[in-house]
Each structure stands twice: as structure tokens, then as C-alpha cells.
Amino acid sequence: GGVLFEEGQVTAVDDTAPAPGNANSRPSGGGKAVTVSVGGKDTIACDVVVLASGSASSKFLTYEDEVPDPGAQTAYGFEVEIDAYPFGKDDMLFMDFRRHHSGVWPGKALHPGMARALTKESSWGTSEEVPSFLYAMPLGDNKAFFQETCLVSKDALPFEVLKRRLERRLEALNVKVAKVLDEEWSYIPVGGPLPRPDQKILAFGAAANLVHPASGYSVARSLKTAPDFASTLVDAYCREGEGEGTSKGWSEGASHQAWERLWSDELRKCHSFHVFGMELLALMDVKSINDFFIAFFSLPEQLWRGFLSSRLDSNQLLFFALYMFAVAPPQMKVRLVVHIFTPSGRYMLSEYKKALTSS
């Protein structure tokens, strides 16, 4: 259907000059706006480039100024054959911050007498510890998937630490691993600046920072956004032409329109709010993050679900913040107020102020 797949590593994307006229250059027509170098050899001329190969593509883009640097969500997990699943046979465990990996006798994590040790006493001496949590999912036939995840840290929590915690956690849960079927290592940059809308080169998915800064979720949002973004590109491409379906190229104005569709002023406000939350989480120790999520999951379900799924608009996020402040314990209220005066707080206030002055 007219689609050409070129295997290779992109080494450069140039939007400043037409394609060079050498033997390895393969333009599809005159006046192409962008050239892509593949493997340092071939140069492909394009009307428009959309980077969609993950956050590694970010080196070809320019970003906003005066925004905190990204944090990192890291995870180690494995699919295993086990003797028995430690929770309900059909129960998937989500964000279990209990510290099974420290101070729990092997096989005793689920004993009723351990409840206090895993809650009130488990944060003793952990003020310098980066928190992590467990995902657990039964797969049937004595198979399960377990994953230890650091939600966010400004300095990525090493995979070796996550693997050690997961192994200790399963030992405390009395899970006997018979065989490791598959392993997973995950590194997701979260937060940070958004791409500038005044560049010809486009991006999508994680390359365009369509990753929720406070959760690391991205796939569902990208799938939901893709049809509308693709339609915007097609419409703009056709409008650049002399006639229906005919193109003379791709203008800076078309790129700006595409970026504005992907990251409107409204969505940039929402991103700044999420970055504010991410930066707050990155500063929390074990006790603080437990207090935070106890408050978070006490909110009305539509609020916490809406936050995690990026469905709340900028005004609803302000309502979310007020509700969260109301139910948070006193020490968390102080943290929230102080955090307003950090770089991420100034970034959020700046984005909301822009919207007020432009309306």
C-alpha cells in the first residue's frame, strides 16, 4: 500500500536544508523539508518526519526551558512457575508498598501477626530509602507474573536493587519459584519538559512525552490519541497542496498546527500539574508515600481513576488537588504547600497563568 520499511538506526534528522545531491540520497520529489540519515550512510528526504521510537528519539527534538529534568520509573519483573500463588487465585495485586523485602521472616509475610510490622513499624529507619512496590498477576497453571517497581525517582533505582527486593519479598511471602520463564527490565523517563511547538520535526508516543509523569502510563493514551493526530497530519498535508490530495511539501505552520493538536495549551496545563505531582512523589520516603496513597485512594473513585488515566481536565485537576489537600494528614498538607515554591510548582503556576492571560 505504498509503505516502505527501511531497517536501520537513525543517526541524524536535519530540518534546516534540502537533501544533499549525492549517490546515497533518495528523495521522493523536489523541495523536501527534512532529511533523515540512516546508519550514517543513506539520506532519505521527507516532507514531514514523525519520530515514534520512544524516548531515545528525544535527542532530535527541542524542548521547553525552565522545566525540571525528567525523573525515572524503573522496574524488574519476571514470569515464573511457582508452587502456589500467595493471594486470591484470581486477584491481581496493584501497588503493594508493604516492605516484605526487609525485616520479615521467610514465609511469614501473610501471618496475621505481621500486620503491624508491615504497616506502622515498617517505615522505621527508612528516611533515606527509595520506595518500591509489588505488582502481582496470576496467569493460571501455577504461573504468575511479579514485578518490583520504583514509581519515580530523580536518580533511577538500579535494577539489581529491584531484583533483590523482589526475591526477598517472594521469600517472605513463602513463594517457591520453580522456574523463571521470562524476565523484564523497564526504564521509563517520566516528567520533564514538553517538545516546543515551533519545530518542523514531529513526534508521537513516548518520543513526544505522552507519558503520565506521575504513573508512567502511556500506551492507552497513545492509542486513544493516534487517530486524531493522524487525521490532523493528513488534513494539513492535503491543505499544503495545489489540489485535493496533492502536496507541494510541508510548512512550519503545518508542523505548528500538529504540535498544537498533540499538546494544546489545555494539555500543557495538565502536564504541568502532573509534573508537580511527580516531583512531589520523587521526594517522598517510605512513610510519606504510604500516607500519600492512603489519602489518594480515599478520594472518590472517579477522581483517582481520572488522574491515573489522564482523563481529568485542568480545572478538574484543581478540584482533585483541593480534595486531596482536605483528606491529607497534617504533615502531608505542609509538604503540599511547601512544594508550591519549588521549580515544579513555579512551572505549574506559570502554565496556568499563561492560560488566564491568553483567554
Side-chain angles (χ1 to χ4, degrees):
V3 176
L4 173 66
F5 290 94
E6 177 76 19
E7 184 175 353
Q9 181 178 358
V10 175
T11 55
V13 181
D14 183 8
D15 63 352
T16 61
N22 58 49
N24 292 322
S25 179
R26 291 176 294 147
S28 57
K32 299 299 180 181
V34 186
T35 59
V36 178
S37 298
V38 181
K41 298 177 182 178
D42 287 355
T43 301
I44 303 172
C46 311
D47 285 321
V48 59
V49 168
V50 182
L51 302 172
S53 55
S55 57
S57 304
S58 62
K59 61 185 177 182
F60 303 121
L61 298 169
T62 58
Y63 289 84
E64 299 171 310
D65 299 321
E66 299 182 4
V67 181
D69 292 334
Q73 180 179 114
T74 50
Y76 170 80
F78 48 36
E79 181 184 346
V80 289
E81 289 182 359
I82 54 177
D83 59 337
Y85 187 64
F87 310 108
K89 67 181 183 69
D90 297 320
D91 292 345
M92 181 177 177
L93 200 66
F94 176 67
M95 294 180 72
D96 187 346
F97 276 100
R98 289 177 295 179
R99 298 183 66 256
H100 302 118
H101 58 274
S102 179
V104 180
W105 286 101
K108 298 298 183 181
L110 298 180
H111 190 280
M114 292 302 298
R116 181 179 176 84
L118 288 170
T119 53
K120 296 184 180 301
E121 297 172 0
S122 67
S123 59
W124 183 87
T126 60
S127 60
E128 300 300 319
E129 179 180 310
V130 177
S132 63
F133 61 85
L134 174 70
Y135 280 128
M137 180 169 63
L139 302 175
D141 298 324
N142 281 358
K143 296 178 183 177
F145 177 75
F146 298 99
Q147 180 175 280
E148 190 80 17
T149 300
C150 170
L151 183 61
V152 62
S153 176
K154 296 300 283 189
D155 295 314
L157 193 62
F159 294 125
E160 294 82 1
V161 174
L162 292 164
K163 182 178 182 181
R164 184 168 64 247
R165 288 186 184 181
L166 181 58
E167 290 170 345
R168 278 289 297 118
R169 189 190 288 273
L170 294 187
E171 184 181 1
L173 289 166
N174 203 30
V175 175
K176 304 292 192 300
V177 176
K179 185 179 181 181
V180 176
L181 303 174
D182 199 5
E183 291 181 282
E184 173 184 277
W185 295 265
S186 172
Y187 180 99
I188 305 173
V190 289
L194 293 176
R196 293 174 59 92
D198 56 353
Q199 55 189 318
K200 291 181 185 177
I201 301 168
L202 302 177
F204 190 75
N209 211 351
L210 290 179
V211 180
H212 195 305
S215 69
Y217 297 161
S218 65
V219 175
R221 181 179 177 185
S222 292
L223 291 174
K224 180 182 177 181
T225 306
D228 183 64
F229 183 64
S231 296
T232 299
L233 296 189
V234 171
D235 291 346
Y237 197 78
C238 289
R239 279 198 300 272
E240 293 294 315
E242 295 177 323
E244 182 69 22
T246 306
S247 173
K248 293 190 295 185
W250 184 264
S251 70
E252 291 184 11
S255 288
H256 188 271
Q257 178 188 349
W259 276 121
E260 287 295 315
R261 190 67 174 177
L262 193 63
W263 281 112
S264 64
D265 290 344
E266 164 65 16
L267 293 176
R268 287 178 183 271
K269 278 195 294 181
C270 294
H271 178 78
S272 71
F273 186 98
H274 293 149
V275 167
F276 175 82
M278 182 220 80
E279 293 283 331
L280 179 65
L281 290 171
L283 295 173
M284 291 185 180
D285 59 16
V286 172
K287 184 178 187 311
S288 297
I289 207 161
N290 273 286
D291 290 342
F292 178 88
F293 279 109
I294 288 171
F296 180 84
F297 287 113
S298 72
L299 298 175
E301 186 172 327
Q302 66 268 27
L303 280 182
W304 65 258
R305 281 185 177 272
F307 180 85
L308 291 175
S309 60
S310 301
R311 289 200 300 264
L312 300 182
D313 64 31
S314 60
N315 292 325
Q316 290 170 327
L317 285 171
L318 292 178
F319 178 72
F320 165 91
L322 292 172
Y323 209 129
M324 186 73 182
F325 188 84
V327 301
Q331 66 273 22
M332 186 62 61
K333 286 183 168 69
V334 173
R335 275 182 173 268
L336 289 167
V337 172
V338 170
H339 198 59
I340 288 286
F341 301 98
T342 64
S344 63
R346 291 193 292 271
Y347 170 51
M348 178 183 67
L349 293 175
S350 172
E351 289 299 313
Y352 273 80
K353 183 179 176 182
K354 284 180 190 175
L356 289 174
T357 56
S358 62
S359 60

